[in-house]
Amino acid sequence: MEKQRTDRISGLIVFFLGIAILWQGRHLSIGTPRAPGSGFFPMLLAVLLMILSLFLVIPKNAEERSSFSARHLGRVSMVFVALLVYFAFLEYLGFVIMSFLLMAFCFIRVARQKWYFALFWAFVSIGLAYLLFDVLLKSNLPRGVFGF
Amino acid sequence: MELLHNLYLGFNVAFAPVNLLFCFIGVFLGTLVGVLPGLGPAATIALLLPITFSLRPETALIMIAGIYYGAQYGGSTTSILVNIPGEASSVVTCLDGYQMARKGRAGPALGISAFGSFIGGTLSVVGLMLLGPWLAGFALQFGPPEYFALMLLGIVILTFLSKGSMVRSLISAVIGLFIGTIGIDPIYGVQRFTYGTLTLMDGVGLVPVAMGLFGIAEVFTNLEEPEVRDIFKTKIKGLLPSLKDWKESIGPITRGSFIGFFLGILPGGGAILASFTSYATEKRLARDPESFGKGAIAGVAGPETANNAATGGAMIPLLSLGIPSNVIMALLIGAMMIHGIKPSSFLVSEHPQIFWGIITSMYVGNILLLVLNLPLIPLWVKLLKIPYGILFPLILLFCLIGVYTVNNNAYEVLIMLIFGVLGYLMRKVGFEPAPLLFAMVIGPIMETALRQSLLRSRGDFSIFFTRPISAVLISAAILLLLLPLLPRVGRQRETIVKEASDE
């Protein structure tokens, strides 16, 4: 994406974030400078954000801009979706199953390892993690419907 | 006499077997993550916070401090051998360290950086010991306006030193301050931006945010990079620097210790600034400045000493004022609060075993690092060869376990993922995540200080300018905000941060 456009867009997002904070915090009392209320500080920050965003939106010399370029976005989104699925089913299927699937997926699909290699290392890493956190440190990792 | 008594108390804490063990674990893990690209000290500390819950507070803090200065050691190893700085503060080490390695002098480069780090680290601990309690006493005069001013200055310095444009870093910090307001208002007890959810009632958790911004987002960023890592393939021999090496390094090491320590004290400053300043100083003082960048040992010894000396300096504002000077220190504050210790200038008097325990453990840790690292360098080099495809699922796994086990709350996993994406996008468009996390931690303290100041002055903002300490601090902050507008300073700042951003 073109540099100047990236800056404009991020500036606009920050500006609307400021507006969103003002809107979402409208019921908080701002109070007076003499006795600032709960909304005082958040509102101050929202206004600051909006002012700062203007510096991004107005055009300036080329060196200061940043750009958005995406290579291998496929790999990143693949891992992100896998993590979302992990979150969605974590409490239902439990730590052991979900983590095993996640590890195996990453090793096979993203790191492109042989499947037997991937399954072996997924098994070993989950086993060690379970031993360390659940058995030794008693961290209460989520158990799914199968009870483990 | 009192100092001796305190040291005795501290060493009693530091030499307790369990503390020795965790100090060792801390420096070992610190070196490890310093070596491994894609996992920095911030993510590691966030990762290990849950494990520290069951420990005594001093043990937990000793381990976390160990990770911090251990990572500075590890970061230099990759700078020298692979020309990839493990940490931002070892960027300058690449300049001469890698050149030394190419000339077959990797051994002495690694050796002198280990010795320099040890000397700098140890001297800075001495400084911390002498200056810390004095500053804590001085800080007793601080009221809310001074605290507010100091934290404001901290944020401004941090954004000034962040790579990329200052406006973006300031935006990042303001967003962090806002995230800090989510939860219950510290003064009136009103719920803010919680939408009635239990997860947000206590505020957005430090651990999910830190792991998202520094763990998950790093993984995403690294997944984009193609897998090329050019590891230096010569045998590393003769780690001990020769007498000539020592002669050339002793000056840089001495100066580096002082530069590092004093720059480390600055809130927001720290190791990065220290290593750059030391390099610039040595180059200026050198008889043959042309040798710099071509494998001058002074260019390795100075910065490596300075970045470790800065870790001792950075502990000063934390232990004596309760104010973090960088992201890692912000996480340390988080750890203290989890253990029910309020970081403030009363720490020395209320919890002397923690204050002196941490300080003395840093002596022990520095010795452990020296003993540990010289023989382990071949192992670290082997670790560098692990392909990222194998490494990143393990990092993900640690993040997921770490974040879940803090409160056994699956929604915190979601918060971590959200901040992971946010951190990734921020990096893509040139926003630094460090000011966000830093501001988020000090946000509630800063807000309380601001509101208390205004209550005290009956709404008169001039209170920040009529009290001398606060006036000086606020003026310094304003000056720094305006400095980049001067074209010359702006350009110089750009060059420094640009070099730092090539990590």
Side-chain angles (χ1 to χ4, degrees), chain B residues 54 89 106 121 155 173 184 194 248 295 313 335 389 407 458 468 481 490:
Chain B
S54 54
S89 55
I155 287 186
I184 291 172
T194 59
E248 285 171 25
N407 294 321
R458 295 168 187 276
L481 276 176

Side-chain angles (χ1 to χ4, degrees), chain B residues 181-436:
Chain B
T181 67
I182 296 175
I184 291 172
D185 169 12
I187 294 184
Y188 292 120
V190 182
Q191 284 193 35
R192 297 187 294 190
F193 309 102
T194 59
Y195 305 101
T197 56
L198 272 175
T199 309
L200 292 179
M201 205 92 92
D202 282 338
V204 181
L206 176 67
V207 177
V209 174
M211 297 237 246
L213 288 178
F214 293 96
I216 304 283
E218 281 287 331
V219 168
F220 287 161
T221 315
N222 284 323
L223 276 177
E224 287 194 345
E225 301 297 324
E227 286 258 344
V228 211
R229 213 173 289 151
D230 185 22
I231 296 187
F232 209 72
K233 284 192 194 68
T234 47
K235 271 227 167 316
I236 300 157
K237 48 181 193 282
L239 286 170
L240 293 182
S242 67
L243 205 64
K244 181 171 165 285
D245 291 336
W246 272 113
K247 241 184 198 159
E248 285 171 25
S249 307
I250 199 72
I253 287 179
T254 318
R255 285 185 288 273
S257 300
F258 283 93
I259 291 173
F261 178 72
F262 285 104
L263 290 179
I265 299 178
L266 282 180
I272 305 175
L273 187 63
S275 57
F276 275 100
T277 312
S278 161
Y279 190 81
T281 312
E282 294 316 323
K283 198 171 173 180
R284 192 155 295 175
L285 290 178
R287 250 172 278 148
D288 46 347
E290 307 87 63
S291 70
F292 276 70
K294 293 177 192 138
I297 198 163
V300 178
E304 274 308 311
T305 308
N307 69 24
N308 269 66
T311 58
M315 301 292 278
I316 286 190
L318 175 80
L319 292 178
S320 52
L321 302 171
I323 287 176
S325 48
N326 56 40
V327 177
I328 312 279
M329 294 296 123
L331 284 165
L332 249 171
I333 285 203
M336 283 181 165
M337 299 214 256
I338 286 170
H339 286 281
I341 297 162
K342 202 172 159 282
S344 70
S345 41
F346 295 106
L347 188 76
V348 195
S349 46
E350 280 173 5
H351 302 279
Q353 86 285 7
I354 291 180
F355 184 89
W356 294 102
I358 295 180
I359 292 181
T360 46
S361 84
M362 286 170 74
Y363 283 114
V364 181
N366 274 302
I367 296 171
L368 282 176
L369 275 171
L370 194 66
V371 179
L372 178 81
N373 273 297
L374 291 180
L376 283 186
I377 283 170
L379 175 74
W380 301 138
V381 176
K382 278 215 182 73
L383 265 176
L384 275 171
K385 292 180 183 161
I386 300 179
Y388 195 67
I390 306 292
L391 206 60
F392 91 87
L394 298 175
I395 297 177
L396 287 183
L397 183 68
F398 269 113
C399 290
L400 290 166
I401 297 176
V403 84
Y404 182 85
T405 47
V406 182
N407 294 321
N408 290 340
N409 183 347
Y411 284 100
E412 300 218 306
V413 173
L414 184 64
I415 294 180
M416 174 179 77
L417 293 183
I418 292 172
F419 277 93
V421 174
L422 181 72
Y424 169 70
L425 292 175
M426 281 171 71
R427 269 166 220 199
K428 299 288 296 182
V429 292
F431 286 83
E432 268 293 286
L436 192 158

Side-chain angles (χ1 to χ4, degrees), chain A residues 6-7 24 33-34 38 41 45 64 66-69 71-73 75-76 79-80 87 102-103 111 139 142, chain B residues 168 178 185 188 190 192 195 220 223-224 389 393 400 404-405 408 410 421 424 428-429 447 451 454-455 459:
Chain A
T6 314
D7 263 3
Q24 290 295 315
R34 203 177 262 253
S38 306
F41 197 57
L45 297 174
E64 274 183 52
S66 72
S67 67
F68 188 95
S69 67
R71 288 169 294 164
H72 305 281
L73 206 60
R75 288 216 292 191
V76 177
V79 174
F80 178 62
F87 160 71
L102 178 74
M103 288 288 108
S139 307
Chain B
R168 290 198 197 90
F178 167 70
D185 169 12
Y188 292 120
V190 182
R192 297 187 294 190
Y195 305 101
F220 287 161
L223 276 177
E224 287 194 345
L400 290 166
Y404 182 85
T405 47
N408 290 340
V421 174
Y424 169 70
K428 299 288 296 182
V429 292
E447 179 185 3
R451 284 163 68 182
L454 288 176
L455 278 169

Side-chain angles (χ1 to χ4, degrees), chain A residues 42-90:
Chain A
M43 297 308 120
L44 189 76
L45 297 174
V47 173
L48 253 175
L49 273 184
M50 287 156 75
I51 296 173
L52 286 170
S53 73
L54 295 181
F55 286 95
L56 288 183
V57 177
I58 48 172
K60 38 181 184 248
N61 54 335
E63 291 148 61
E64 274 183 52
R65 295 186 209 123
S66 72
S67 67
F68 188 95
S69 67
R71 288 169 294 164
H72 305 281
L73 206 60
R75 288 216 292 191
V76 177
S77 34
M78 204 152 67
V79 174
F80 178 62
V81 172
L83 285 169
L84 278 184
V85 172
Y86 182 93
F87 160 71
F89 291 96
L90 180 62

